Every structure is written in C-alpha cells, then in structure tokens.
C-alpha cells in the first residue's frame, strides 16, 4: 500500500518548497501538479490555440504528450519529448495555466496521470484539488495558505534575487486574480477538504512548514 500526502492551497503559499523538503525527508516522490497545467498552458500559448473554441482545444489536447521524469531526484516536465521545465515558469505561462486549469477537458486529461502516479509509489503531491478530487483517500491532507501580502512579498524577493525587475503591487494583483479564478471556477475549485489540516505559513519558515508536514505524516504511518 502506498502512502499519499495531498497539499493544496493558493499560489505562493510555499506548497512546492515545503512539499519538496518533506518528500526528501520522508523519501517520498514529490509531484508538482501545477507544472502539468503550466505545460498545457505553454503549448496553448506557443501554438496560439484558441482555448475557448472546443474543437481547437480538443485537437490540441490530443497532440499533447506530458511526461514527468526524475533527474537526480528533481522533477522535470517534458512536453512531446522536450524538457520545458524552465520555460513553464514565466508570468505569461502562469496566467495561461490558470485559464486552462478551469477547462474540464484539461483536468480530465491530467486526472488519471496524477492518480496513477500516487497508486504506484509514496507521494507528496501538491496542487489545488488533490485532497478534494484527485486523491480523496490520501492518508494526509494539508491545506497550506498565507496572506496575499506575504505571498506577494515572497514572490517579489524571489524575482529580485533573480535580478528581474518587478513591482510588488503588480505581483499582488496577479496573485489575487489567480486566487479568484482558482477558487471560483466550476470544475474542481480550490477549497480545503473537510479532513485537511489547515496550515497558515504567513509566520512560519519553510523549514518549520516542512517539519510540521513530516511530523504529521509520521504520526499516521
Ligand atoms: O501551482 P502553480 O502556480 O504552478 O499552478 C499553476 C496553475 O494551475 C494555477 O493557476 C492553478 C492550476 N492548478 C490547478 O488548477 N490544479 C492543480 N492541481 C494544480 C494547479
């Protein structure tokens, strides 16, 4: 029997960093499901697919082959055989990912891929609907959040460190827009599962969040 940890929450709450760290200490596989939506978003952007036209969208989805590979323990995303792990991290792709993630056919395409990954191995999977929809029987569910201000501040620091120019107001607005779309969409909206542990990371360090998740998992093993 495999053990699954589902971590959901809004953008920028620190899910992926904490999930990665917890997965490392538990020797579980970390699965970043947001990267899958980003990969589909990238394809739609680069191929100028009109995602609001059903036929065009379906035809495009049929042409997309997504693979996750682990290279030295790090998840890499492949789109039709090409490593796109770095290209899916731009603001344009973030925006498009959030748009395509609201489309039922897109979610349908990724559902089995995500479930299969959790069926065959111990995983820490992060996203928006993992505890509520993808893995409703996960052994541990976490709803990880932080205030919009704190999430924007963290993202701002990250970008500044990379030498990118940005304004904290723009980042805050982008985050609030994405939250709105993720929470208000009809299909698999972002919400806390009833049996999820609520964690607010606003005043916690990354290490503290990862340690809390690891500790909760060990209690249930
Ligand atoms: O976590 P992220 O920012 O990389 O996710 C990109 C987008 O994909 C985001 O707008 C939410 C969406 N997403 C989703 O709808 N369901 C998931 N399980 C993961 C991400």
């Amino acid at each position: 029997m495999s053990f699954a940890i589902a971590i959901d929450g809004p953008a920028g709450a620190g899910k992926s960093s904490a999930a990665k760290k917890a997965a490392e200490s538990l020797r579980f596989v970390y699965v970043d499901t947001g990267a899958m939506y980003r990969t589909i978003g990238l394809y739609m952007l680069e191929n100028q697919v009109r995602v609001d036209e059903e036929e065009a969208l379906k035809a495009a989805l049929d042409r997309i082959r997504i693979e996750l590979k682990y290279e030295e323990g790090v998840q890499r995303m492949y789109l039709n055989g090409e490593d796109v792990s770095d290209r899916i991290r731009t603001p344009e792709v973030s925006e498009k990912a959030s748009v395509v993630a609201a489309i039922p056919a897109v979610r349908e395409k990724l559902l089995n891929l995500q479930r299969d990954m959790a069926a065959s191995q111990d995983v820490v999977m992060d996203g928006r609907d993992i505890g509520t929809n993808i893995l409703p029987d996960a052994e541990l569910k976490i709803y990880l959040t932080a205030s919009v201000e704190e999430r924007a501040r963290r993202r701002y620091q990250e970008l500044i460190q990379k030498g990118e120019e940005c304004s904290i107001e723009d980042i805050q607005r982008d985050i609030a827009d994405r939250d709105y779309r993720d929470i208000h969409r009809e299909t698999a909206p972002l919400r806390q599962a009833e049996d999820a542990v609520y964690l607010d990371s606003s005043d916690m360090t990354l290490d503290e969040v990862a340690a809390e998740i690891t500790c909760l998992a060990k209690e249930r093993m």
Side-chain angles (χ1 to χ4, degrees):
M1 256 284 285
S2 53
F3 192 103
I5 303 177
I7 306 182
D8 294 303
K15 294 187 301 294
S16 59
S17 310
K20 231 179 267 173
K21 245 181 179 305
E24 243 169 59
S25 66
L26 292 162
R27 295 179 192 280
F28 282 20
V29 173
Y30 166 57
V31 183
D32 171 3
T33 63
M36 302 181 189
Y37 290 95
R38 287 171 178 274
T39 301
I40 293 184
L42 176 73
Y43 183 93
M44 301 302 177
L45 261 183
E46 290 191 339
N47 293 280
Q48 295 170 12
V49 178
R50 292 285 313 262
V51 296
D52 50 350
E53 286 175 8
E54 203 179 327
E55 289 304 312
L57 173 84
K58 291 225 160 104
L61 285 178
D62 286 341
R63 289 194 298 268
I64 294 177
R65 187 166 47 89
I66 287 181
E67 290 164 289
L68 272 87
K69 295 187 186 172
Y70 288 86
E71 294 167 11
E72 290 166 13
V74 177
Q75 175 186 301
R76 307 291 299 178
M77 288 303 310
Y78 282 77
L79 169 60
N80 296 334
E82 187 191 349
D83 184 344
V84 294
S85 315
D86 300 323
R87 275 162 51 211
I88 58 173
R89 298 293 161 193
T90 65
E92 294 73 31
V93 175
S94 299
E95 155 78 22
K96 199 69 171 181
S98 150
V99 171
V100 301
I103 303 174
V106 170
R107 305 201 72 86
E108 184 68 26
K109 183 177 172 87
L110 296 178
L111 181 112
N112 287 331
L113 181 62
Q114 293 168 0
R115 284 194 180 149
D116 288 349
M117 293 197 77
S120 53
Q121 55 200 344
D122 296 330
V123 293
V124 181
M125 190 175 282
D126 81 2
R128 303 294 188 285
D129 65 334
I130 309 304
T132 50
N133 186 41
I134 303 294
L135 307 176
D137 298 324
E139 280 71 16
L140 172 62
K141 298 179 187 177
I142 307 278
Y143 189 82
L144 183 63
T145 188
S147 66
V148 175
E149 295 75 20
E150 177 58 21
R151 290 187 280 134
R153 198 191 59 77
R154 290 177 189 167
R155 181 78 188 131
Y156 177 77
Q157 295 295 346
E158 237 175 67
L159 291 172
I160 292 292
Q161 266 165 22
K162 279 194 208 159
E164 289 178 32
E165 262 183 46
C166 55
S167 98
I168 197 147
E169 289 77 25
D170 286 352
I171 296 175
Q172 201 163 316
R173 201 189 45 242
D174 285 354
I175 288 183
D177 284 353
R178 281 214 281 154
D179 282 359
Y180 186 89
R181 252 199 312 266
D182 294 343
I183 291 168
H184 291 92
R185 67 178 177 228
E186 263 174 48
T187 313
L190 167 65
R191 63 179 174 81
Q192 182 180 351
E194 271 174 25
D195 50 350
V197 177
Y198 180 89
L199 272 185
D200 184 332
S201 72
S202 303
D203 298 315
M204 290 170 89
T205 64
L206 163 61
D207 284 345
E208 285 169 339
V209 177
E212 179 68 21
I213 296 170
T214 306
C215 179
L216 287 165
K218 285 187 175 157
E219 280 171 16
R220 293 169 192 224
M221 279 172 169

